[in-house]
Amino acid sequence: MTTSQPLVVIESAGDAAPNIPSGVRVIRLNYTAKRNALSLELRAELMAAVDAALADEGVRAIVLTGNGGTFCAGGDISSMQNVTGVAGRTRLANLHRLARLLVAGPKPVIAAVEGFAYGAGMSLALLCDQVVTAKDAKFCCSFGKVGLMPDMAALWTVPQRVNAGWVKRLLMLAEEIDGDTAVRIGLADQAVPAGEVLQAALALAAKFASLAPLPVGFIKATLARGPQPLETLLAQEADGQALLFNSADFAEGRDAFLEKRKPVFTGH
């Protein structure tokens, strides 16, 4: 696949794109000819964009969305011809690194879903901390329709969001649901009219960006480990909280509370 257009477009506050709040980075999938399917090239650009956003101290929250009126149609099936078992494992290893970055990385990520979130596109949305969707968006864990099992951690994310009956309907039957239904069953978090998704996601991202970033990162890292024995979690809590007590942001938050003013967090 060759294209003169970037497969991932990056926008931040102060760029030509309007209405992006301070501290928020927008990452747009831009393979519109195939409804933003996750080609190998797009995956590489997306990984680089997420890496850069996580490394940039000026970025406090990330919004992940798609151009062309759709989020992501899933994997690029045309690139899967003659894929061997070994090559398949390599493809998944790259996707698994992206999954770890989104789930356990130190910054909140909001998916803004318009149009289709199919297959790996649905998996990608569910790796985010919050999913804002258009009411008429279409979600489908469609792997079984091409003889595959769900990947990109859908077998981990879906059971965390919906009940056991819906887990099996979504993952085994590959039922398509709209954005309203996704919110009703807990698969997504907020449904808004079509055309209003990005602004709703940006408003939510601005709230996250206003928080002290260090505890947000600790919370994400701890939750990413999944359910744990109480003693294991308490040990992680003690380690993390001890570090945060020494942070400049805690001193600022404490002083702002006592002085009855809004804190200004720096991430240090």
Side-chain angles (χ1 to χ4, degrees):
M1 184 198 72
T2 59
T3 176
S4 59
Q5 298 294 323
L7 296 174
V8 173
V9 176
I10 301 168
E11 299 169 340
S12 298
D15 293 343
N19 302 324
I20 298 179
S22 176
V24 175
R25 172 75 53 84
V26 177
I27 299 176
R28 295 176 177 267
L29 307 183
N30 191 44
Y31 189 15
T32 56
K34 289 201 173 181
R35 292 179 174 173
N36 301 324
L38 293 173
S39 67
L40 298 178
E41 295 88 347
L42 188 151
R43 296 178 194 186
E45 291 190 27
L46 178 57
M47 189 90 68
V50 172
D51 271 328
L54 294 177
D56 189 334
E57 288 192 0
V59 176
R60 300 283 184 85
I62 300 165
V63 172
L64 179 61
T65 191
N67 280 339
T70 203
F71 183 72
C72 175
D76 186 359
I77 304 299
S78 66
S79 71
M80 297 180 189
Q81 297 179 14
N82 303 316
V83 174
T84 64
V86 173
R89 289 185 67 87
T90 300
R91 292 169 69 103
L92 282 176
N94 293 330
L95 286 176
H96 289 173
R97 180 169 178 267
L98 176 62
R100 293 185 183 99
L101 287 176
L102 294 174
V103 170
K107 299 176 181 180
V109 185
I110 297 98
V113 178
E114 296 261 17
F116 293 95
Y118 257 57
M122 176 172 142
S123 300
L124 179 62
L126 298 184
L127 291 169
C128 300
D129 300 290
Q130 294 282 292
V131 179
V132 179
T133 178
K135 292 174 178 290
D136 62 354
K138 304 299 181 186
F139 293 82
C140 184
C141 198
S142 55
F143 297 89
K145 295 181 178 181
V146 293
L148 295 174
M149 66 182 289
D151 61 26
M152 283 190 75
L155 289 165
W156 187 78
T157 57
V158 174
Q160 291 194 49
R161 283 182 163 268
V162 304
N163 66 39
W166 271 108
V167 167
K168 293 175 182 179
R169 287 176 64 171
L170 293 170
L171 298 183
M172 294 181 182
L173 293 179
E175 285 195 4
E176 179 187 275
I177 60 173
D178 62 19
D180 272 331
T181 303
V183 170
R184 178 173 59 82
I185 68 173
L187 193 74
D189 304 295
Q190 181 182 357
V192 299
E196 299 179 15
V197 175
L198 182 58
Q199 288 308 309
L202 289 172
L204 183 57
K207 294 181 180 179
F208 278 109
S210 69
L211 303 174
L214 293 178
V216 169
F218 277 103
I219 292 167
K220 283 197 63 170
T222 303
L223 292 176
R225 293 183 174 97
Q228 302 176 74
L230 176 62
E231 290 303 320
T232 301
L233 187 136
L234 290 177
Q236 293 174 11
E237 175 187 299
D239 291 342
Q241 198 76 310
L243 291 171
L244 292 171
F245 274 130
N246 287 328
S247 70
D249 275 354
F250 168 66
E252 166 65 9
R254 177 198 60 210
D255 293 346
F257 176 84
L258 295 173
E259 296 165 10
K260 295 181 170 52
R261 61 176 175 83
K262 185 176 180 180
V264 179
F265 296 118
T266 62
H268 297 97

